[in-house]
Amino acid sequence: MTTTQRRWKPVGWAGACFRAVAPWLLLLVGGKVILTQVWTPLAPSLTRWLWLIVDDLALVLPFLLFAVGLALGRVLGHSARAFRVAIFAGVSVSILSYSLDAWVEPGIEDRILAARGAETIDTRRFGTQTPVGILRNLDFVQTNPPPRYSLQTSSPQEFPPNVLLWRLHHPLALAVFGIANVLLGLLASELTVDLSNRVRRTVRLAMGIGGGIAFLVGVVVASPVEPFLRDGTMRPGIAGAWLPLLIPLIQGLVLRYLVTRRRYG
């Protein structure tokens, strides 16, 4: 193999990953932008558009890593190298997703709120709702418990501590889900390699979408926000953020078992 061939080999798998993800990005993120434009008579400002796109990207990227795992299995085969590249891709994209979710999106939102002037002073009392701002808010609430807790955005000093903890941990848990998802895609690629093209596409699509929906349902069920709004129940915030990861863990164990049985009979 020549030096030029070795140099271009990473571009091959990177290009395959991009081609696997790009259509879904256009469909999910671009489609929402178009629908927002259709249903919103007055177009929002450029900053608000950026906020919406960043928010969508942060959510979508971990789910699209399943397609990245499939692409890596197709290009690199089912080898130790494919596993290493999958880990690298998963960690890289998950770091990007976490950065967008925990740091970039709150920063843009804070700029939007700041532009409204005095009416958002109370909302911005603890600063930008990055992990630093959330910790500042949490420390205040724990030190000065309010007479009653509330989720009114104008009263962050009354936010429930469990919800603040959930907001602190959820972006990180979502990023970890992304790493798990790329490995699930790699396992699904090997498990379905012997199927016919049509059946293989259908099964892989069902695995990816089904696993993603199951995780989203787990996030909604485990979140402490809805129970608090419904009847004031204070569910654990940290557990609520991390428990949904049991779903990809179980899915991974099942896929691993099936792949092992396929390899060794």
PDB file of all heavy atoms in Angstrom, residues 200-227:
ATOM      1  N   ARG A 200     -32.217  -6.430   4.858  1.00  0.00           N
ATOM      2  CA  ARG A 200     -31.174  -5.833   5.694  1.00  0.00           C
ATOM      3  C   ARG A 200     -31.478  -4.369   5.990  1.00  0.00           C
ATOM      4  O   ARG A 200     -31.363  -3.921   7.131  1.00  0.00           O
ATOM      5  CB  ARG A 200     -29.815  -5.970   5.009  1.00  0.00           C
ATOM      6  CG  ARG A 200     -28.668  -5.421   5.854  1.00  0.00           C
ATOM      7  CD  ARG A 200     -27.315  -5.846   5.309  1.00  0.00           C
ATOM      8  NE  ARG A 200     -27.094  -5.360   3.953  1.00  0.00           N
ATOM      9  CZ  ARG A 200     -26.921  -6.146   2.899  1.00  0.00           C
ATOM     10  NH1 ARG A 200     -26.975  -7.463   3.034  1.00  0.00           N
ATOM     11  NH2 ARG A 200     -26.703  -5.630   1.703  1.00  0.00           N
ATOM     12  N   ARG A 201     -31.859  -3.619   4.963  1.00  0.00           N
ATOM     13  CA  ARG A 201     -32.188  -2.206   5.177  1.00  0.00           C
ATOM     14  C   ARG A 201     -33.362  -2.052   6.136  1.00  0.00           C
ATOM     15  O   ARG A 201     -33.349  -1.188   7.015  1.00  0.00           O
ATOM     16  CB  ARG A 201     -32.506  -1.532   3.840  1.00  0.00           C
ATOM     17  CG  ARG A 201     -31.293  -1.215   2.991  1.00  0.00           C
ATOM     18  CD  ARG A 201     -31.655  -0.253   1.878  1.00  0.00           C
ATOM     19  NE  ARG A 201     -32.646  -0.831   0.973  1.00  0.00           N
ATOM     20  CZ  ARG A 201     -32.344  -1.500  -0.133  1.00  0.00           C
ATOM     21  NH1 ARG A 201     -31.074  -1.702  -0.457  1.00  0.00           N
ATOM     22  NH2 ARG A 201     -33.296  -1.985  -0.911  1.00  0.00           N
ATOM     23  N   THR A 202     -34.373  -2.900   5.963  1.00  0.00           N
ATOM     24  CA  THR A 202     -35.560  -2.803   6.818  1.00  0.00           C
ATOM     25  C   THR A 202     -35.229  -3.126   8.271  1.00  0.00           C
ATOM     26  O   THR A 202     -35.642  -2.416   9.193  1.00  0.00           O
ATOM     27  CB  THR A 202     -36.657  -3.759   6.312  1.00  0.00           C
ATOM     28  OG1 THR A 202     -36.978  -3.434   4.955  1.00  0.00           O
ATOM     29  CG2 THR A 202     -37.905  -3.642   7.165  1.00  0.00           C
ATOM     30  N   VAL A 203     -34.466  -4.194   8.470  1.00  0.00           N
ATOM     31  CA  VAL A 203     -34.121  -4.610   9.833  1.00  0.00           C
ATOM     32  C   VAL A 203     -33.245  -3.564  10.513  1.00  0.00           C
ATOM     33  O   VAL A 203     -33.456  -3.211  11.684  1.00  0.00           O
ATOM     34  CB  VAL A 203     -33.415  -5.982   9.809  1.00  0.00           C
ATOM     35  CG1 VAL A 203     -32.865  -6.323  11.193  1.00  0.00           C
ATOM     36  CG2 VAL A 203     -34.379  -7.061   9.349  1.00  0.00           C
ATOM     37  N   ARG A 204     -32.273  -3.043   9.787  1.00  0.00           N
ATOM     38  CA  ARG A 204     -31.391  -2.034  10.376  1.00  0.00           C
ATOM     39  C   ARG A 204     -32.154  -0.756  10.702  1.00  0.00           C
ATOM     40  O   ARG A 204     -31.926  -0.135  11.750  1.00  0.00           O
ATOM     41  CB  ARG A 204     -30.236  -1.734   9.416  1.00  0.00           C
ATOM     42  CG  ARG A 204     -29.229  -2.873   9.307  1.00  0.00           C
ATOM     43  CD  ARG A 204     -28.146  -2.572   8.294  1.00  0.00           C
ATOM     44  NE  ARG A 204     -27.118  -3.601   8.276  1.00  0.00           N
ATOM     45  CZ  ARG A 204     -26.056  -3.586   7.477  1.00  0.00           C
ATOM     46  NH1 ARG A 204     -25.894  -2.578   6.622  1.00  0.00           N
ATOM     47  NH2 ARG A 204     -25.160  -4.555   7.530  1.00  0.00           N
ATOM     48  N   LEU A 205     -33.044  -0.364   9.816  1.00  0.00           N
ATOM     49  CA  LEU A 205     -33.853   0.829  10.073  1.00  0.00           C
ATOM     50  C   LEU A 205     -34.725   0.632  11.305  1.00  0.00           C
ATOM     51  O   LEU A 205     -34.850   1.531  12.150  1.00  0.00           O
ATOM     52  CB  LEU A 205     -34.716   1.136   8.849  1.00  0.00           C
ATOM     53  CG  LEU A 205     -35.448   2.487   8.832  1.00  0.00           C
ATOM     54  CD1 LEU A 205     -34.447   3.629   8.811  1.00  0.00           C
ATOM     55  CD2 LEU A 205     -36.373   2.573   7.623  1.00  0.00           C
ATOM     56  N   ALA A 206     -35.308  -0.561  11.415  1.00  0.00           N
ATOM     57  CA  ALA A 206     -36.151  -0.856  12.575  1.00  0.00           C
ATOM     58  C   ALA A 206     -35.335  -0.840  13.866  1.00  0.00           C
ATOM     59  O   ALA A 206     -35.790  -0.328  14.899  1.00  0.00           O
ATOM     60  CB  ALA A 206     -36.828  -2.211  12.392  1.00  0.00           C
ATOM     61  N   MET A 207     -34.124  -1.388  13.809  1.00  0.00           N
ATOM     62  CA  MET A 207     -33.263  -1.393  14.999  1.00  0.00           C
ATOM     63  C   MET A 207     -32.897   0.027  15.420  1.00  0.00           C
ATOM     64  O   MET A 207     -32.975   0.380  16.606  1.00  0.00           O
ATOM     65  CB  MET A 207     -31.982  -2.183  14.713  1.00  0.00           C
ATOM     66  CG  MET A 207     -32.152  -3.679  14.676  1.00  0.00           C
ATOM     67  SD  MET A 207     -30.546  -4.483  14.379  1.00  0.00           S
ATOM     68  CE  MET A 207     -31.008  -6.205  14.494  1.00  0.00           C
ATOM     69  N   GLY A 208     -32.479   0.831  14.448  1.00  0.00           N
ATOM     70  CA  GLY A 208     -32.052   2.190  14.767  1.00  0.00           C
ATOM     71  C   GLY A 208     -33.184   3.051  15.280  1.00  0.00           C
ATOM     72  O   GLY A 208     -33.068   3.707  16.325  1.00  0.00           O
ATOM     73  N   ILE A 209     -34.300   3.051  14.552  1.00  0.00           N
ATOM     74  CA  ILE A 209     -35.433   3.885  14.957  1.00  0.00           C
ATOM     75  C   ILE A 209     -36.068   3.347  16.233  1.00  0.00           C
ATOM     76  O   ILE A 209     -36.406   4.112  17.147  1.00  0.00           O
ATOM     77  CB  ILE A 209     -36.468   3.965  13.821  1.00  0.00           C
ATOM     78  CG1 ILE A 209     -35.868   4.706  12.621  1.00  0.00           C
ATOM     79  CG2 ILE A 209     -37.740   4.660  14.292  1.00  0.00           C
ATOM     80  CD1 ILE A 209     -36.788   4.803  11.428  1.00  0.00           C
ATOM     81  N   GLY A 210     -36.213   2.020  16.310  1.00  0.00           N
ATOM     82  CA  GLY A 210     -36.814   1.429  17.501  1.00  0.00           C
ATOM     83  C   GLY A 210     -36.004   1.699  18.754  1.00  0.00           C
ATOM     84  O   GLY A 210     -36.557   2.060  19.802  1.00  0.00           O
ATOM     85  N   GLY A 211     -34.687   1.544  18.645  1.00  0.00           N
ATOM     86  CA  GLY A 211     -33.838   1.819  19.799  1.00  0.00           C
ATOM     87  C   GLY A 211     -33.875   3.279  20.204  1.00  0.00           C
ATOM     88  O   GLY A 211     -33.902   3.609  21.396  1.00  0.00           O
ATOM     89  N   GLY A 212     -33.893   4.172  19.210  1.00  0.00           N
ATOM     90  CA  GLY A 212     -33.957   5.600  19.508  1.00  0.00           C
ATOM     91  C   GLY A 212     -35.259   5.988  20.181  1.00  0.00           C
ATOM     92  O   GLY A 212     -35.271   6.748  21.157  1.00  0.00           O
ATOM     93  N   ILE A 213     -36.367   5.452  19.666  1.00  0.00           N
ATOM     94  CA  ILE A 213     -37.671   5.759  20.263  1.00  0.00           C
ATOM     95  C   ILE A 213     -37.749   5.213  21.687  1.00  0.00           C
ATOM     96  O   ILE A 213     -38.253   5.880  22.598  1.00  0.00           O
ATOM     97  CB  ILE A 213     -38.806   5.188  19.392  1.00  0.00           C
ATOM     98  CG1 ILE A 213     -38.892   5.960  18.069  1.00  0.00           C
ATOM     99  CG2 ILE A 213     -40.144   5.250  20.131  1.00  0.00           C
ATOM    100  CD1 ILE A 213     -39.907   5.399  17.097  1.00  0.00           C
ATOM    101  N   ALA A 214     -37.234   4.002  21.877  1.00  0.00           N
ATOM    102  CA  ALA A 214     -37.253   3.408  23.219  1.00  0.00           C
ATOM    103  C   ALA A 214     -36.465   4.271  24.204  1.00  0.00           C
ATOM    104  O   ALA A 214     -36.890   4.479  25.348  1.00  0.00           O
ATOM    105  CB  ALA A 214     -36.685   1.993  23.173  1.00  0.00           C
ATOM    106  N   PHE A 215     -35.319   4.785  23.748  1.00  0.00           N
ATOM    107  CA  PHE A 215     -34.521   5.638  24.629  1.00  0.00           C
ATOM    108  C   PHE A 215     -35.260   6.938  24.935  1.00  0.00           C
ATOM    109  O   PHE A 215     -35.269   7.400  26.088  1.00  0.00           O
ATOM    110  CB  PHE A 215     -33.172   5.937  23.981  1.00  0.00           C
ATOM    111  CG  PHE A 215     -32.297   6.845  24.805  1.00  0.00           C
ATOM    112  CD1 PHE A 215     -31.639   6.367  25.922  1.00  0.00           C
ATOM    113  CD2 PHE A 215     -32.141   8.180  24.465  1.00  0.00           C
ATOM    114  CE1 PHE A 215     -30.840   7.201  26.694  1.00  0.00           C
ATOM    115  CE2 PHE A 215     -31.342   9.024  25.220  1.00  0.00           C
ATOM    116  CZ  PHE A 215     -30.687   8.530  26.338  1.00  0.00           C
ATOM    117  N   LEU A 216     -35.887   7.535  23.927  1.00  0.00           N
ATOM    118  CA  LEU A 216     -36.642   8.770  24.149  1.00  0.00           C
ATOM    119  C   LEU A 216     -37.791   8.550  25.130  1.00  0.00           C
ATOM    120  O   LEU A 216     -38.046   9.390  26.002  1.00  0.00           O
ATOM    121  CB  LEU A 216     -37.183   9.299  22.826  1.00  0.00           C
ATOM    122  CG  LEU A 216     -36.218  10.098  21.949  1.00  0.00           C
ATOM    123  CD1 LEU A 216     -36.896  10.501  20.652  1.00  0.00           C
ATOM    124  CD2 LEU A 216     -35.709  11.335  22.686  1.00  0.00           C
ATOM    125  N   VAL A 217     -38.476   7.428  24.974  1.00  0.00           N
ATOM    126  CA  VAL A 217     -39.558   7.107  25.913  1.00  0.00           C
ATOM    127  C   VAL A 217     -38.991   6.967  27.326  1.00  0.00           C
ATOM    128  O   VAL A 217     -39.583   7.452  28.304  1.00  0.00           O
ATOM    129  CB  VAL A 217     -40.280   5.817  25.484  1.00  0.00           C
ATOM    130  CG1 VAL A 217     -41.243   5.347  26.575  1.00  0.00           C
ATOM    131  CG2 VAL A 217     -41.042   6.045  24.184  1.00  0.00           C
ATOM    132  N   GLY A 218     -37.832   6.322  27.428  1.00  0.00           N
ATOM    133  CA  GLY A 218     -37.192   6.191  28.733  1.00  0.00           C
ATOM    134  C   GLY A 218     -36.841   7.536  29.342  1.00  0.00           C
ATOM    135  O   GLY A 218     -37.001   7.742  30.550  1.00  0.00           O
ATOM    136  N   VAL A 219     -36.375   8.466  28.505  1.00  0.00           N
ATOM    137  CA  VAL A 219     -36.047   9.808  28.992  1.00  0.00           C
ATOM    138  C   VAL A 219     -37.293  10.505  29.529  1.00  0.00           C
ATOM    139  O   VAL A 219     -37.273  11.116  30.607  1.00  0.00           O
ATOM    140  CB  VAL A 219     -35.406  10.646  27.864  1.00  0.00           C
ATOM    141  CG1 VAL A 219     -35.300  12.114  28.280  1.00  0.00           C
ATOM    142  CG2 VAL A 219     -34.026  10.104  27.518  1.00  0.00           C
ATOM    143  N   VAL A 220     -38.386  10.409  28.786  1.00  0.00           N
ATOM    144  CA  VAL A 220     -39.634  11.059  29.206  1.00  0.00           C
ATOM    145  C   VAL A 220     -40.156  10.440  30.500  1.00  0.00           C
ATOM    146  O   VAL A 220     -40.570  11.149  31.426  1.00  0.00           O
ATOM    147  CB  VAL A 220     -40.693  10.955  28.090  1.00  0.00           C
ATOM    148  CG1 VAL A 220     -42.044  11.466  28.585  1.00  0.00           C
ATOM    149  CG2 VAL A 220     -40.252  11.743  26.864  1.00  0.00           C
ATOM    150  N   VAL A 221     -40.128   9.120  30.578  1.00  0.00           N
ATOM    151  CA  VAL A 221     -40.659   8.428  31.756  1.00  0.00           C
ATOM    152  C   VAL A 221     -39.809   8.707  32.994  1.00  0.00           C
ATOM    153  O   VAL A 221     -40.336   8.905  34.100  1.00  0.00           O
ATOM    154  CB  VAL A 221     -40.736   6.908  31.491  1.00  0.00           C
ATOM    155  CG1 VAL A 221     -41.072   6.153  32.775  1.00  0.00           C
ATOM    156  CG2 VAL A 221     -41.783   6.616  30.426  1.00  0.00           C
ATOM    157  N   ALA A 222     -38.490   8.732  32.826  1.00  0.00           N
ATOM    158  CA  ALA A 222     -37.596   8.898  33.976  1.00  0.00           C
ATOM    159  C   ALA A 222     -37.399  10.356  34.376  1.00  0.00           C
ATOM    160  O   ALA A 222     -36.930  10.629  35.483  1.00  0.00           O
ATOM    161  CB  ALA A 222     -36.233   8.272  33.665  1.00  0.00           C
ATOM    162  N   SER A 223     -37.749  11.283  33.502  1.00  0.00           N
ATOM    163  CA  SER A 223     -37.545  12.705  33.804  1.00  0.00           C
ATOM    164  C   SER A 223     -38.353  13.133  35.030  1.00  0.00           C
ATOM    165  O   SER A 223     -39.518  12.759  35.178  1.00  0.00           O
ATOM    166  CB  SER A 223     -37.957  13.557  32.600  1.00  0.00           C
ATOM    167  OG  SER A 223     -38.036  14.923  32.958  1.00  0.00           O
ATOM    168  N   PRO A 224     -37.765  13.947  35.906  1.00  0.00           N
ATOM    169  CA  PRO A 224     -38.511  14.419  37.080  1.00  0.00           C
ATOM    170  C   PRO A 224     -39.408  15.617  36.786  1.00  0.00           C
ATOM    171  O   PRO A 224     -40.156  16.052  37.665  1.00  0.00           O
ATOM    172  CB  PRO A 224     -37.393  14.817  38.050  1.00  0.00           C
ATOM    173  CG  PRO A 224     -36.281  15.259  37.160  1.00  0.00           C
ATOM    174  CD  PRO A 224     -36.355  14.375  35.937  1.00  0.00           C
ATOM    175  N   VAL A 225     -39.348  16.142  35.568  1.00  0.00           N
ATOM    176  CA  VAL A 225     -40.089  17.370  35.262  1.00  0.00           C
ATOM    177  C   VAL A 225     -41.594  17.120  35.249  1.00  0.00           C
ATOM    178  O   VAL A 225     -42.364  17.821  35.923  1.00  0.00           O
ATOM    179  CB  VAL A 225     -39.626  17.957  33.914  1.00  0.00           C
ATOM    180  CG1 VAL A 225     -40.471  19.182  33.557  1.00  0.00           C
ATOM    181  CG2 VAL A 225     -38.154  18.324  33.970  1.00  0.00           C
ATOM    182  N   GLU A 226     -42.034  16.128  34.484  1.00  0.00           N
ATOM    183  CA  GLU A 226     -43.467  15.874  34.344  1.00  0.00           C
ATOM    184  C   GLU A 226     -44.131  15.502  35.671  1.00  0.00           C
ATOM    185  O   GLU A 226     -45.200  16.045  35.996  1.00  0.00           O
ATOM    186  CB  GLU A 226     -43.696  14.773  33.301  1.00  0.00           C
ATOM    187  CG  GLU A 226     -45.164  14.447  33.045  1.00  0.00           C
ATOM    188  CD  GLU A 226     -45.963  15.636  32.545  1.00  0.00           C
ATOM    189  OE1 GLU A 226     -45.382  16.490  31.848  1.00  0.00           O
ATOM    190  OE2 GLU A 226     -47.169  15.725  32.872  1.00  0.00           O
ATOM    191  N   PRO A 227     -43.548  14.613  36.483  1.00  0.00           N
ATOM    192  CA  PRO A 227     -44.179  14.313  37.780  1.00  0.00           C
ATOM    193  C   PRO A 227     -44.297  15.541  38.678  1.00  0.00           C
ATOM    194  O   PRO A 227     -45.287  15.690  39.401  1.00  0.00           O
ATOM    195  CB  PRO A 227     -43.246  13.263  38.397  1.00  0.00           C
ATOM    196  CG  PRO A 227     -42.559  12.645  37.240  1.00  0.00           C
ATOM    197  CD  PRO A 227     -42.398  13.741  36.231  1.00  0.00           C
TER     198      PRO A 227
END
